[in-house]
Amino acid sequence: MKYPSAQTLYKPEDYLIAERKATIKSEYLSGQILTMSGASLAHAFITGDIDTELNIQLRGKDCEVVTNDVRVKTSPKIAYFYPDVVVFCGEPQFEDNTFDTLLNPILIIEVLSPSTEKYDKGEKFEYYKQIATLKEYILVSQDKVHVEHYKLNNTEWNLKTFSAFQDTLILTSIGCKLSLKDIYTRIDFN
């Protein structure tokens, strides 16, 4: 008879110690360490173009854009993620004096992969909702022109979807606009 193997659960502090020494990025969720896979070229293009467009619009303002090398922590249920694009305004708040775990994102963007789409829309979003400063969450499809824009209105998250190149997202939390034409500028869907 074969018995199921016991799953090792890690404390958040053990994850951080290991992650800061690791050569491969991992996320932390419910005591589990989840190794991140590489991204497709389309994913990289979309992330880069969003980053570029937002950086141009935010130049000289009080908000900053960072990409997937900055970790974000949720609380009170602790999880650590590496969003594709993060915007924070004002002074960045960090978990500790290593300055690598951001606590105050105002906007998070995830570019969906077939393997992570359900997770990004479901469980990960539930954790992101715990972040008191978060006002907007955007999910960008990489295999079709489709963007889901969640916006916090008082205590309720409202969804608006976009599926045409001429559509434009109004990012009220940071005073920017993001057109689908700019998001998908280097993607050929043929």
Side-chain angles (χ1 to χ4, degrees):
M1 175 179 240
K2 193 172 189 178
Y3 294 98
S5 60
Q7 186 174 14
T8 303
L9 296 179
Y10 298 89
K11 295 178 184 173
E13 50 274 12
D14 295 334
Y15 159 77
L16 275 180
I17 290 168
E19 185 65 10
R20 287 175 173 157
K21 295 176 186 174
T23 56
I24 298 172
K25 289 191 293 188
S26 298
E27 295 183 328
Y28 176 87
L29 178 67
S30 302
Q32 296 179 43
I33 296 175
L34 310 168
T35 304
M36 297 178 67
S37 61
S40 70
L41 187 58
H43 188 285
F45 281 161
I46 291 168
T47 301
D49 290 337
I50 291 170
D51 177 53
T52 299
E53 187 61 33
L54 291 179
N55 268 305
I56 290 168
Q57 292 182 49
L58 291 172
R59 188 174 291 140
K61 295 184 181 177
D62 192 32
C63 298
E64 296 289 340
V65 183
V66 291
T67 54
N68 55 14
D69 286 328
V70 174
R71 188 172 38 253
V72 169
K73 179 184 178 185
T74 68
S75 178
K77 288 186 178 179
I78 296 175
Y80 294 92
F81 300 115
Y82 288 94
D84 292 314
V85 179
V86 178
V87 179
F88 66 90
C89 296
E91 288 294 317
Q93 296 171 13
F94 294 103
E95 179 173 31
D96 55 30
N97 61 5
T98 306
F99 308 112
D100 62 354
T101 305
L102 187 67
L103 302 176
N104 63 325
I106 193 165
L107 181 142
I108 292 176
I109 300 173
E110 294 284 7
V111 179
L112 300 174
S113 301
S115 62
T116 66
E117 182 172 353
K118 187 175 178 182
Y119 172 62
D120 287 343
K121 289 181 177 186
E123 189 173 12
K124 187 183 265 190
F125 186 28
E126 290 304 314
Y127 275 86
Y128 281 150
K129 287 177 184 178
Q130 298 178 89
I131 302 171
T133 57
L134 188 65
K135 303 296 180 219
E136 294 180 85
Y137 182 54
I138 298 167
L139 299 167
V140 180
S141 177
Q142 64 175 302
D143 57 356
K144 62 183 174 189
V145 177
H146 185 80
V147 175
E148 296 180 10
H149 181 195
Y150 293 88
K151 187 173 167 185
L152 185 61
N153 185 7
N154 294 320
T155 59
E156 194 173 312
W157 285 91
N158 297 319
L159 169 63
K160 191 169 185 182
T161 60
F162 301 87
S163 299
F165 278 114
Q166 45 287 25
D167 289 341
T168 299
L169 287 79
I170 306 299
L171 308 175
T172 55
S173 66
I174 59 172
C176 293
K177 295 178 181 179
L178 196 55
S179 75
L180 271 64
K181 186 178 115 221
D182 290 333
I183 291 172
Y184 293 110
T185 192
R186 294 189 283 169
I187 307 302
D188 181 5
F189 292 106
N190 294 325

